[in-house]
Amino acid sequence: MLGRFTKARIDQLENEVGAGTVVVNCAAGGWTSHDGARRAQVIARLAPDVVVLSFGTNDCAPERLVGLDSFAVHLHAIIEAFPLATVVAFLPPSVAEQDGVGPRGRTNAVLSSYRHALREAVSAGRALDTDATLGALVAMGAPVHVDGLHLTDEAYGLVIPALAKLIKAA
């Protein structure tokens, strides 16, 4: 989800967090936790104050499945690479399922396990529950996912202030 953080979204997050905030987005669309773990030591050289993790949606895709145990190992490796930073999580939102299956074979039941592992890795108080944040949008019947998987501009408009609040509380 963070791989689609455009300049406008980064600018909004910087403004929401406050003056002097610089956001560096090191996410890439399609990455799994394995990709993040491979690069964590290099990214850690930036010495950030806060690191936002968002993994799980790609990890649970059947064609590139990262087992849940490996997922947890990767998360811990990433977190350990940032010993001086506060690590928070942008939990992956549910996918739009049709007949019990989401895009490329993902299911919310499986994604929930990955979401839980990410929440546990950073602690519940440092995890943004995107589904809860998007609840009002879903209740209005507005589309949340453009392709059944990614957030719309309107959805990012709701989660960015919530993410900023989480960052400021960290």
Side-chain angles (χ1 to χ4, degrees):
M1 298 304 140
L2 299 178
R4 291 191 176 206
F5 244 58
T6 61
K7 179 185 179 341
R9 292 177 183 138
I10 289 170
D11 290 345
Q12 181 185 354
L13 182 59
E14 288 177 339
N15 289 332
E16 295 272 349
V17 173
T21 300
V22 176
V23 173
V24 178
N25 187 2
C26 297
W31 273 11
T32 66
S33 59
H34 178 258
D35 297 304
R38 284 187 50 229
R39 293 164 174 85
Q41 291 295 329
V42 173
I43 296 169
R45 293 181 194 154
L46 295 171
D49 295 321
V50 177
V51 175
V52 180
L53 300 181
S54 185
F55 291 102
T57 305
N58 292 323
D59 295 89
C60 77
E63 77 274 6
R64 60 178 125 172
L65 185 66
V66 174
L68 202 50
D69 289 339
S70 295
F71 180 69
V73 168
H74 296 153
L75 292 177
H76 289 290
I78 295 166
I79 292 167
E80 288 174 6
F82 299 94
L84 302 178
T86 300
V87 180
V88 300
F90 181 107
L91 299 178
S94 296
V95 298
E97 294 180 339
Q98 290 185 350
D99 299 322
V101 179
R104 296 199 327 250
R106 293 173 180 90
T107 67
N108 286 318
V110 173
L111 179 56
S112 179
S113 299
Y114 288 79
R115 189 182 299 117
H116 177 75
L118 178 54
R119 182 183 297 110
E120 290 293 314
V122 302
S123 81
R126 291 191 174 162
L128 174 63
D129 185 343
T130 52
D131 281 345
T133 302
L134 297 172
L137 188 60
V138 173
M140 292 184 322
V144 177
H145 303 94
V146 174
D147 56 3
L149 181 66
H150 295 97
L151 300 177
T152 63
D153 288 338
E154 190 175 14
Y156 276 114
L158 291 175
V159 297
I160 289 171
L163 180 59
K165 183 177 178 181
L166 181 67
I167 291 169
K168 288 192 282 190

CSV table of all heavy atoms in Angstrom, one decimal, residues 3-65:
chain,number,residue,atom,x,y,z
A,3,GLY,N,3.7,1.5,-1.5
A,3,GLY,CA,4.4,1.6,-2.8
A,3,GLY,C,3.6,2.6,-3.7
A,3,GLY,O,4.2,3.1,-4.6
A,4,ARG,N,2.4,2.8,-3.3
A,4,ARG,CA,1.5,3.8,-4.1
A,4,ARG,C,1.4,5.1,-3.4
A,4,ARG,O,0.5,5.9,-3.7
A,4,ARG,CB,0.2,3.2,-4.4
A,4,ARG,CG,0.2,2.0,-5.3
A,4,ARG,CD,-1.1,1.6,-5.7
A,4,ARG,NE,-0.9,0.5,-6.7
A,4,ARG,CZ,-1.8,0.2,-7.7
A,4,ARG,NH1,-2.9,0.9,-7.8
A,4,ARG,NH2,-1.6,-0.7,-8.5
A,5,PHE,N,2.3,5.4,-2.5
A,5,PHE,CA,2.4,6.7,-1.9
A,5,PHE,C,3.0,7.7,-2.8
A,5,PHE,O,4.2,7.7,-2.9
A,5,PHE,CB,3.2,6.6,-0.6
A,5,PHE,CG,2.3,6.9,0.7
A,5,PHE,CD1,1.2,6.1,1.0
A,5,PHE,CD2,2.7,7.9,1.5
A,5,PHE,CE1,0.5,6.4,2.1
A,5,PHE,CE2,1.9,8.2,2.7
A,5,PHE,CZ,0.8,7.4,3.0
A,6,THR,N,2.2,8.5,-3.5
A,6,THR,CA,2.7,9.4,-4.5
A,6,THR,C,3.2,10.7,-3.8
A,6,THR,O,3.1,10.8,-2.6
A,6,THR,CB,1.5,9.9,-5.4
A,6,THR,OG1,0.5,10.5,-4.5
A,6,THR,CG2,0.9,8.7,-6.1
A,7,LYS,N,3.8,11.6,-4.6
A,7,LYS,CA,4.3,12.8,-4.0
A,7,LYS,C,3.2,13.6,-3.2
A,7,LYS,O,3.5,14.0,-2.1
A,7,LYS,CB,4.9,13.7,-5.1
A,7,LYS,CG,5.4,15.0,-4.5
A,7,LYS,CD,5.9,16.0,-5.6
A,7,LYS,CE,6.4,17.3,-5.1
A,7,LYS,NZ,6.1,17.8,-3.8
A,8,ALA,N,2.1,13.6,-3.8
A,8,ALA,CA,1.0,14.4,-3.1
A,8,ALA,C,0.6,13.7,-1.8
A,8,ALA,O,0.4,14.4,-0.8
A,8,ALA,CB,-0.3,14.4,-4.0
A,9,ARG,N,0.6,12.4,-1.7
A,9,ARG,CA,0.4,11.7,-0.5
A,9,ARG,C,1.5,11.9,0.5
A,9,ARG,O,1.2,12.0,1.7
A,9,ARG,CB,0.1,10.2,-0.7
A,9,ARG,CG,-1.2,10.0,-1.5
A,9,ARG,CD,-1.4,8.5,-1.9
A,9,ARG,NE,-2.6,8.4,-2.7
A,9,ARG,CZ,-2.7,7.7,-3.7
A,9,ARG,NH1,-1.8,6.9,-4.1
A,9,ARG,NH2,-3.9,7.7,-4.4
A,10,ILE,N,2.7,11.9,0.1
A,10,ILE,CA,3.8,12.1,1.0
A,10,ILE,C,3.8,13.6,1.5
A,10,ILE,O,3.9,13.8,2.7
A,10,ILE,CB,5.2,11.9,0.2
A,10,ILE,CG1,5.4,10.4,0.0
A,10,ILE,CG2,6.4,12.5,1.0
A,10,ILE,CD1,6.5,10.0,-0.9
A,11,ASP,N,3.5,14.5,0.6
A,11,ASP,CA,3.3,15.9,1.1
A,11,ASP,C,2.2,16.0,2.1
A,11,ASP,O,2.4,16.7,3.1
A,11,ASP,CB,3.0,16.8,-0.1
A,11,ASP,CG,4.2,17.0,-1.1
A,11,ASP,OD1,5.3,16.7,-0.7
A,11,ASP,OD2,3.9,17.5,-2.2
A,12,GLN,N,1.1,15.4,1.9
A,12,GLN,CA,0.0,15.4,2.9
A,12,GLN,C,0.4,14.8,4.2
A,12,GLN,O,0.1,15.4,5.2
A,12,GLN,CB,-1.2,14.6,2.3
A,12,GLN,CG,-2.4,14.7,3.3
A,12,GLN,CD,-3.6,13.9,2.9
A,12,GLN,OE1,-3.6,13.3,1.8
A,12,GLN,NE2,-4.6,13.7,3.8
A,13,LEU,N,1.1,13.7,4.2
A,13,LEU,CA,1.6,13.1,5.4
A,13,LEU,C,2.6,14.0,6.2
A,13,LEU,O,2.5,14.2,7.4
A,13,LEU,CB,2.2,11.7,5.2
A,13,LEU,CG,2.7,11.0,6.4
A,13,LEU,CD1,1.6,10.7,7.4
A,13,LEU,CD2,3.4,9.6,6.0
A,14,GLU,N,3.5,14.6,5.4
A,14,GLU,CA,4.4,15.6,6.1
A,14,GLU,C,3.7,16.7,6.7
A,14,GLU,O,4.0,17.1,7.8
A,14,GLU,CB,5.4,16.1,5.0
A,14,GLU,CG,6.5,15.1,4.6
A,14,GLU,CD,7.4,15.6,3.5
A,14,GLU,OE1,7.0,16.6,2.8
A,14,GLU,OE2,8.5,15.0,3.4
A,15,ASN,N,2.7,17.3,6.0
A,15,ASN,CA,1.9,18.4,6.6
A,15,ASN,C,1.1,17.9,7.8
A,15,ASN,O,1.0,18.7,8.8
A,15,ASN,CB,1.0,18.9,5.5
A,15,ASN,CG,1.7,19.7,4.4
A,15,ASN,OD1,2.8,20.3,4.7
A,15,ASN,ND2,1.2,19.7,3.2
A,16,GLU,N,0.5,16.7,7.7
A,16,GLU,CA,-0.3,16.2,8.8
A,16,GLU,C,0.6,15.9,10.1
A,16,GLU,O,0.1,16.2,11.2
A,16,GLU,CB,-1.0,14.9,8.4
A,16,GLU,CG,-2.0,15.1,7.4
A,16,GLU,CD,-3.4,15.4,7.9
A,16,GLU,OE1,-3.6,15.4,9.1
A,16,GLU,OE2,-4.3,15.8,7.0
A,17,VAL,N,1.8,15.4,9.9
A,17,VAL,CA,2.7,15.1,11.0
A,17,VAL,C,3.2,16.4,11.6
A,17,VAL,O,3.3,16.5,12.9
A,17,VAL,CB,3.8,14.2,10.6
A,17,VAL,CG1,4.8,14.0,11.8
A,17,VAL,CG2,3.3,12.8,10.2
A,18,GLY,N,3.6,17.4,10.8
A,18,GLY,CA,4.0,18.7,11.3
A,18,GLY,C,5.2,19.2,10.7
A,18,GLY,O,5.9,18.5,10.0
A,19,ALA,N,5.5,20.5,11.0
A,19,ALA,CA,6.6,21.2,10.5
A,19,ALA,C,7.9,20.5,10.7
A,19,ALA,O,8.2,19.9,11.8
A,19,ALA,CB,6.7,22.6,11.1
A,20,GLY,N,8.8,20.5,9.7
A,20,GLY,CA,10.1,19.9,9.8
A,20,GLY,C,10.1,18.4,9.5
A,20,GLY,O,11.2,17.8,9.5
A,21,THR,N,8.9,17.8,9.3
A,21,THR,CA,8.9,16.4,9.0
A,21,THR,C,9.3,16.1,7.5
A,21,THR,O,8.9,16.8,6.6
A,21,THR,CB,7.4,15.8,9.1
A,21,THR,OG1,7.0,16.1,10.5
A,21,THR,CG2,7.3,14.4,8.8
A,22,VAL,N,10.2,15.1,7.4
A,22,VAL,CA,10.6,14.7,6.0
A,22,VAL,C,10.3,13.2,5.9
A,22,VAL,O,10.7,12.4,6.7
A,22,VAL,CB,12.1,14.9,5.8
A,22,VAL,CG1,12.5,14.4,4.5
A,22,VAL,CG2,12.5,16.4,6.0
A,23,VAL,N,9.5,12.9,4.9
A,23,VAL,CA,9.1,11.5,4.7
A,23,VAL,C,9.9,11.0,3.5
A,23,VAL,O,9.9,11.6,2.5
A,23,VAL,CB,7.6,11.4,4.4
A,23,VAL,CG1,7.2,10.0,4.0
A,23,VAL,CG2,6.7,11.8,5.6
A,24,VAL,N,10.5,9.9,3.7
A,24,VAL,CA,11.3,9.2,2.6
A,24,VAL,C,10.6,7.8,2.4
A,24,VAL,O,10.5,7.0,3.3
A,24,VAL,CB,12.7,9.0,3.0
A,24,VAL,CG1,13.5,8.2,1.9
A,24,VAL,CG2,13.4,10.3,3.3
A,25,ASN,N,10.0,7.7,1.3
A,25,ASN,CA,9.3,6.4,1.0
A,25,ASN,C,10.2,5.4,0.3
A,25,ASN,O,10.6,5.7,-0.8
A,25,ASN,CB,8.1,6.7,0.1
A,25,ASN,CG,7.2,5.5,-0.1
A,25,ASN,OD1,7.5,4.4,0.5
A,25,ASN,ND2,6.1,5.6,-0.9
A,26,CYS,N,10.5,4.4,1.0
A,26,CYS,CA,11.4,3.3,0.5
A,26,CYS,C,10.6,2.1,0.0
A,26,CYS,O,11.2,1.0,-0.2
A,26,CYS,CB,12.4,2.9,1.5
A,26,CYS,SG,13.5,4.3,2.0
A,27,ALA,N,9.3,2.2,-0.1
A,27,ALA,CA,8.5,1.1,-0.5
A,27,ALA,C,8.4,1.0,-2.0
A,27,ALA,O,8.6,1.9,-2.7
A,27,ALA,CB,7.0,1.3,0.0
A,28,ALA,N,8.2,-0.3,-2.4
A,28,ALA,CA,8.0,-0.5,-3.9
A,28,ALA,C,6.9,-1.5,-4.0
A,28,ALA,O,6.7,-2.4,-3.3
A,28,ALA,CB,9.3,-1.2,-4.4
A,29,GLY,N,6.0,-1.1,-5.0
A,29,GLY,CA,4.8,-2.0,-5.3
A,29,GLY,C,5.3,-3.4,-5.6
A,29,GLY,O,6.3,-3.6,-6.3
A,30,GLY,N,4.6,-4.4,-5.0
A,30,GLY,CA,4.9,-5.8,-5.2
A,30,GLY,C,5.9,-6.4,-4.3
A,30,GLY,O,6.1,-7.6,-4.3
A,31,TRP,N,6.5,-5.6,-3.4
A,31,TRP,CA,7.5,-6.2,-2.4
A,31,TRP,C,6.8,-7.1,-1.4
A,31,TRP,O,5.7,-6.8,-1.0
A,31,TRP,CB,8.2,-5.1,-1.7
A,31,TRP,CG,9.4,-4.5,-2.3
A,31,TRP,CD1,9.9,-4.8,-3.6
A,31,TRP,CD2,10.4,-3.7,-1.7
A,31,TRP,NE1,11.0,-4.1,-3.8
A,31,TRP,CE2,11.4,-3.4,-2.7
A,31,TRP,CE3,10.5,-3.1,-0.5
A,31,TRP,CZ2,12.5,-2.6,-2.4
A,31,TRP,CZ3,11.6,-2.3,-0.2
A,31,TRP,CH2,12.5,-2.0,-1.2
A,32,THR,N,7.5,-8.1,-1.0
A,32,THR,CA,7.1,-8.9,0.1
A,32,THR,C,8.0,-8.6,1.3
A,32,THR,O,8.9,-7.8,1.1
A,32,THR,CB,7.2,-10.4,-0.2
A,32,THR,OG1,8.6,-10.8,-0.4
A,32,THR,CG2,6.4,-10.8,-1.5
A,33,SER,N,7.7,-9.2,2.4
A,33,SER,CA,8.5,-9.0,3.6
A,33,SER,C,10.0,-9.4,3.3
A,33,SER,O,10.9,-8.9,3.9
A,33,SER,CB,7.9,-9.7,4.8
A,33,SER,OG,7.9,-11.1,4.5
A,34,HIS,N,10.1,-10.4,2.5
A,34,HIS,CA,11.5,-10.9,2.1
A,34,HIS,C,12.3,-9.8,1.5
A,34,HIS,O,13.5,-9.5,1.8
A,34,HIS,CB,11.4,-12.1,1.2
A,34,HIS,CG,12.8,-12.6,0.8
A,34,HIS,ND1,13.3,-12.4,-0.5
A,34,HIS,CD2,13.7,-13.3,1.5
A,34,HIS,CE1,14.5,-12.9,-0.6
A,34,HIS,NE2,14.8,-13.5,0.6
A,35,ASP,N,11.6,-9.1,0.5
A,35,ASP,CA,12.3,-7.9,-0.1
A,35,ASP,C,12.6,-6.8,0.9
A,35,ASP,O,13.7,-6.3,0.8
A,35,ASP,CB,11.4,-7.3,-1.2
A,35,ASP,CG,11.1,-8.3,-2.3
A,35,ASP,OD1,12.0,-8.8,-2.9
A,35,ASP,OD2,9.9,-8.6,-2.6
A,36,GLY,N,11.7,-6.6,1.8
A,36,GLY,CA,12.0,-5.6,2.9
A,36,GLY,C,13.2,-6.0,3.8
A,36,GLY,O,14.0,-5.2,4.1
A,37,ALA,N,13.2,-7.3,4.1
A,37,ALA,CA,14.3,-7.7,5.0
A,37,ALA,C,15.6,-7.7,4.3
A,37,ALA,O,16.7,-7.3,4.9
A,37,ALA,CB,14.0,-9.2,5.5
A,38,ARG,N,15.7,-8.0,3.0
A,38,ARG,CA,16.9,-7.9,2.2
A,38,ARG,C,17.5,-6.5,2.2
A,38,ARG,O,18.7,-6.3,2.0
A,38,ARG,CB,16.7,-8.4,0.8
A,38,ARG,CG,16.6,-9.9,0.7
A,38,ARG,CD,16.5,-10.4,-0.8
A,38,ARG,NE,17.6,-9.8,-1.6
A,38,ARG,CZ,17.4,-9.2,-2.8
A,38,ARG,NH1,16.2,-9.1,-3.3
A,38,ARG,NH2,18.4,-8.7,-3.4
A,39,ARG,N,16.6,-5.5,2.2
A,39,ARG,CA,17.1,-4.1,2.1
A,39,ARG,C,17.1,-3.3,3.4
A,39,ARG,O,17.5,-2.2,3.4
A,39,ARG,CB,16.1,-3.5,1.1
A,39,ARG,CG,16.3,-4.0,-0.3
A,39,ARG,CD,15.1,-3.7,-1.2
A,39,ARG,NE,15.3,-4.1,-2.6
A,39,ARG,CZ,15.0,-5.3,-3.0
A,39,ARG,NH1,14.5,-6.2,-2.2
A,39,ARG,NH2,15.2,-5.7,-4.3
A,40,ALA,N,16.6,-3.9,4.4
A,40,ALA,CA,16.5,-3.1,5.7
A,40,ALA,C,17.8,-2.5,6.2
A,40,ALA,O,17.8,-1.3,6.6
A,40,ALA,CB,15.9,-4.0,6.8
A,41,GLN,N,18.9,-3.2,6.1
A,41,GLN,CA,20.2,-2.7,6.6
A,41,GLN,C,20.6,-1.5,5.8
A,41,GLN,O,21.1,-0.5,6.4
A,41,GLN,CB,21.3,-3.7,6.6
A,41,GLN,CG,21.1,-4.9,7.6
A,41,GLN,CD,21.2,-4.4,9.0
A,41,GLN,OE1,21.9,-3.4,9.3
A,41,GLN,NE2,20.4,-5.0,9.9
A,42,VAL,N,20.3,-1.5,4.5
A,42,VAL,CA,20.7,-0.3,3.7
A,42,VAL,C,19.8,0.9,4.0
A,42,VAL,O,20.3,2.0,4.1
A,42,VAL,CB,20.6,-0.7,2.2
A,42,VAL,CG1,20.8,0.5,1.3
A,42,VAL,CG2,21.6,-1.8,1.8
A,43,ILE,N,18.5,0.6,4.1
A,43,ILE,CA,17.6,1.7,4.4
A,43,ILE,C,17.8,2.3,5.8
A,43,ILE,O,17.7,3.5,6.0
A,43,ILE,CB,16.1,1.2,4.2
A,43,ILE,CG1,15.9,0.8,2.8
A,43,ILE,CG2,15.1,2.2,4.7
A,43,ILE,CD1,14.6,0.0,2.6
A,44,ALA,N,18.3,1.4,6.7
A,44,ALA,CA,18.5,1.8,8.1
A,44,ALA,C,19.6,2.9,8.1
A,44,ALA,O,19.7,3.7,9.1
A,44,ALA,CB,18.9,0.6,8.9
A,45,ARG,N,20.5,2.9,7.1
A,45,ARG,CA,21.6,4.0,7.1
A,45,ARG,C,21.0,5.4,7.0
A,45,ARG,O,21.7,6.3,7.4
A,45,ARG,CB,22.5,3.7,5.9
A,45,ARG,CG,23.3,2.5,6.0
A,45,ARG,CD,24.2,2.3,4.8
A,45,ARG,NE,24.7,0.9,4.7
A,45,ARG,CZ,25.1,0.3,3.6
A,45,ARG,NH1,25.1,1.0,2.5
A,45,ARG,NH2,25.5,-0.9,3.7
A,46,LEU,N,19.7,5.5,6.7
A,46,LEU,CA,19.1,6.8,6.7
A,46,LEU,C,18.8,7.3,8.1
A,46,LEU,O,18.5,8.5,8.3
A,46,LEU,CB,17.8,6.8,5.9
A,46,LEU,CG,17.9,6.5,4.4
A,46,LEU,CD1,16.5,6.3,3.8
A,46,LEU,CD2,18.6,7.7,3.7
A,47,ALA,N,18.9,6.4,9.1
A,47,ALA,CA,18.7,6.7,10.5
A,47,ALA,C,17.4,7.4,10.8
A,47,ALA,O,17.3,8.5,11.4
A,47,ALA,CB,19.9,7.5,11.1
A,48,PRO,N,16.3,6.8,10.3
A,48,PRO,CA,15.0,7.5,10.6
A,48,PRO,C,14.6,7.5,12.0
A,48,PRO,O,15.0,6.6,12.8
A,48,PRO,CB,14.0,6.6,9.7
A,48,PRO,CG,14.6,5.3,9.7
A,48,PRO,CD,16.1,5.5,9.7
A,49,ASP,N,13.7,8.4,12.4
A,49,ASP,CA,13.1,8.4,13.7
A,49,ASP,C,11.9,7.5,13.8
A,49,ASP,O,11.7,6.9,14.8
A,49,ASP,CB,12.6,9.8,14.1
A,49,ASP,CG,13.8,10.8,14.2
A,49,ASP,OD1,14.8,10.5,14.7
A,49,ASP,OD2,13.6,12.0,13.7
A,50,VAL,N,11.2,7.4,12.7
A,50,VAL,CA,10.0,6.5,12.6
A,50,VAL,C,10.1,5.7,11.3
A,50,VAL,O,10.4,6.2,10.3
A,50,VAL,CB,8.7,7.3,12.6
A,50,VAL,CG1,7.5,6.4,12.5
A,50,VAL,CG2,8.6,8.2,13.9
A,51,VAL,N,9.7,4.4,11.4
A,51,VAL,CA,9.7,3.5,10.3
A,51,VAL,C,8.2,3.0,10.2
A,51,VAL,O,7.7,2.5,11.2
A,51,VAL,CB,10.7,2.3,10.4
A,51,VAL,CG1,10.5,1.4,9.2
A,51,VAL,CG2,12.1,2.9,10.4
A,52,VAL,N,7.6,3.1,9.0
A,52,VAL,CA,6.3,2.6,8.8
A,52,VAL,C,6.4,1.3,8.0
A,52,VAL,O,6.9,1.4,6.8
A,52,VAL,CB,5.4,3.6,8.1
A,52,VAL,CG1,4.0,3.0,7.9
A,52,VAL,CG2,5.3,4.9,8.9
A,53,LEU,N,5.9,0.2,8.5
A,53,LEU,CA,5.9,-1.1,7.8
A,53,LEU,C,4.5,-1.4,7.3
A,53,LEU,O,3.5,-1.2,8.0
A,53,LEU,CB,6.3,-2.2,8.7
A,53,LEU,CG,7.7,-2.1,9.3
A,53,LEU,CD1,8.0,-3.4,10.1
A,53,LEU,CD2,8.8,-2.0,8.2
A,54,SER,N,4.4,-1.9,6.1
A,54,SER,CA,3.1,-2.3,5.5
A,54,SER,C,3.4,-3.6,4.7
A,54,SER,O,3.8,-3.4,3.5
A,54,SER,CB,2.4,-1.3,4.7
A,54,SER,OG,1.2,-1.7,4.3
A,55,PHE,N,3.4,-4.7,5.3
A,55,PHE,CA,3.6,-6.0,4.5
A,55,PHE,C,2.4,-6.9,4.8
A,55,PHE,O,1.8,-6.8,5.9
A,55,PHE,CB,4.9,-6.6,5.0
A,55,PHE,CG,6.1,-5.9,4.6
A,55,PHE,CD1,6.8,-5.1,5.5
A,55,PHE,CD2,6.6,-6.0,3.3
A,55,PHE,CE1,8.0,-4.4,5.1
A,55,PHE,CE2,7.8,-5.3,2.9
A,55,PHE,CZ,8.4,-4.6,3.8
A,56,GLY,N,2.2,-7.9,4.0
A,56,GLY,CA,1.2,-8.9,4.2
A,56,GLY,C,0.4,-9.2,3.0
A,56,GLY,O,0.2,-10.3,2.6
A,57,THR,N,0.0,-8.1,2.2
A,57,THR,CA,-0.9,-8.4,1.1
A,57,THR,C,-0.2,-9.1,0.0
A,57,THR,O,-0.7,-10.1,-0.6
A,57,THR,CB,-1.4,-7.0,0.5
A,57,THR,OG1,-2.0,-6.3,1.6
A,57,THR,CG2,-2.4,-7.2,-0.6
A,58,ASN,N,1.1,-8.8,-0.3
A,58,ASN,CA,1.8,-9.5,-1.3
A,58,ASN,C,2.3,-10.9,-0.7
A,58,ASN,O,2.5,-11.8,-1.5
A,58,ASN,CB,3.0,-8.7,-1.8
A,58,ASN,CG,2.5,-7.5,-2.6
A,58,ASN,OD1,1.6,-7.6,-3.4
A,58,ASN,ND2,3.2,-6.4,-2.5
A,59,ASP,N,2.7,-10.9,0.5
A,59,ASP,CA,3.2,-12.1,1.2
A,59,ASP,C,2.1,-13.2,1.1
A,59,ASP,O,2.5,-14.4,1.1
A,59,ASP,CB,3.5,-11.8,2.6
A,59,ASP,CG,4.7,-10.9,2.8
A,59,ASP,OD1,4.4,-9.7,2.8
A,59,ASP,OD2,5.8,-11.3,2.8
A,60,CYS,N,0.8,-12.9,1.1
A,60,CYS,CA,-0.2,-14.0,1.2
A,60,CYS,C,-0.7,-14.3,-0.2
A,60,CYS,O,-1.6,-15.1,-0.3
A,60,CYS,CB,-1.3,-13.6,2.1
A,60,CYS,SG,-2.5,-12.4,1.5
A,61,ALA,N,-0.2,-13.7,-1.3
A,61,ALA,CA,-0.6,-14.0,-2.6
A,61,ALA,C,-0.1,-15.4,-3.0
A,61,ALA,O,1.1,-15.7,-2.8
A,61,ALA,CB,-0.1,-13.0,-3.6
A,62,PRO,N,-1.0,-16.3,-3.4
A,62,PRO,CA,-0.5,-17.7,-3.7
A,62,PRO,C,0.7,-17.9,-4.6
A,62,PRO,O,1.5,-18.7,-4.3
A,62,PRO,CB,-1.8,-18.3,-4.3
A,62,PRO,CG,-2.9,-17.6,-3.7
A,62,PRO,CD,-2.4,-16.1,-3.6
A,63,GLU,N,0.8,-17.0,-5.6
A,63,GLU,CA,1.9,-17.2,-6.5
A,63,GLU,C,3.3,-16.8,-6.0
A,63,GLU,O,4.3,-17.1,-6.5
A,63,GLU,CB,1.7,-16.5,-7.9
A,63,GLU,CG,1.9,-15.0,-7.8
A,63,GLU,CD,0.7,-14.1,-7.4
A,63,GLU,OE1,-0.3,-14.7,-6.9
A,63,GLU,OE2,0.7,-12.9,-7.4
A,64,ARG,N,3.3,-16.1,-4.8
A,64,ARG,CA,4.6,-15.7,-4.2
A,64,ARG,C,4.5,-15.8,-2.7
A,64,ARG,O,5.1,-15.1,-2.0
A,64,ARG,CB,5.0,-14.3,-4.6
A,64,ARG,CG,4.0,-13.2,-4.2
A,64,ARG,CD,4.5,-11.9,-4.6
A,64,ARG,NE,3.5,-11.2,-5.5
A,64,ARG,CZ,3.6,-10.0,-5.9
A,64,ARG,NH1,4.6,-9.3,-5.5
A,64,ARG,NH2,2.7,-9.5,-6.6
A,65,LEU,N,3.7,-16.8,-2.3
A,65,LEU,CA,3.4,-17.0,-0.8
A,65,LEU,C,4.7,-17.1,0.0
A,65,LEU,O,5.6,-17.9,-0.2
A,65,LEU,CB,2.7,-18.3,-0.7
A,65,LEU,CG,2.2,-18.6,0.8
A,65,LEU,CD1,1.2,-17.5,1.2
A,65,LEU,CD2,1.6,-20.0,0.9
